[in-house]
Amino acid sequence: MAIIDYRDARPIYEQIASYYKGLILRGILEEDEQMPSVRNLSMELSTNPNTVQKAYTELERAGYLYAVKGRGNFVKNNGKLIEQRRKELLSRMKALRREAEELSLDADQLWRDTTND
């Protein structure tokens, strides 16, 4: 499990949170599925348990997880998260389209150019 990239400038807890956000949004981790315990994941990643706890806290604050006292952390309903992310993406795309139009660039051509990578 290659979650942590030591060449990445982001803090380790952000890398862990980002990895699990991706799994949740892609539906790999399903609603009400239990997350690995802080202790187990910290041992598996060879990192401090406080780092894993900070990642889980970040995921909980962002609405990806919920905690059950004495039981652990669980995945929240990801349908709402996907819809929220879709709206955020649409908003960013609209802003980019406006910016392209302000520069007299053909937004459709720009879109085609991004698909040729």
Side-chain angles (χ1 to χ4, degrees), residues 77-93:
N77 180 342
N78 62 8
K80 292 177 186 175
L81 293 170
I82 291 170
E83 180 59 22
Q84 177 185 349
R85 290 292 302 266
R86 188 190 72 76
K87 286 179 181 178
E88 290 170 4
L89 179 60
L90 185 59
S91 175
R92 291 196 322 253
M93 289 176 71

Side-chain angles (χ1 to χ4, degrees), residues 39-90:
R39 181 180 297 174
N40 286 344
L41 187 57
S42 66
M43 286 179 16
E44 189 172 330
L45 298 177
S46 300
T47 191
N48 189 306
N50 292 332
T51 302
V52 174
Q53 183 59 53
K54 189 170 183 179
Y56 280 6
T57 300
E58 178 71 23
L59 289 166
E60 185 176 358
R61 192 168 39 84
Y64 290 85
L65 300 180
Y66 65 93
V68 176
K69 192 137 184 105
R71 299 255 340 208
N73 295 287
F74 297 84
V75 176
K76 263 191 170 176
N77 180 342
N78 62 8
K80 292 177 186 175
L81 293 170
I82 291 170
E83 180 59 22
Q84 177 185 349
R85 290 292 302 266
R86 188 190 72 76
K87 286 179 181 178
E88 290 170 4
L89 179 60
L90 185 59

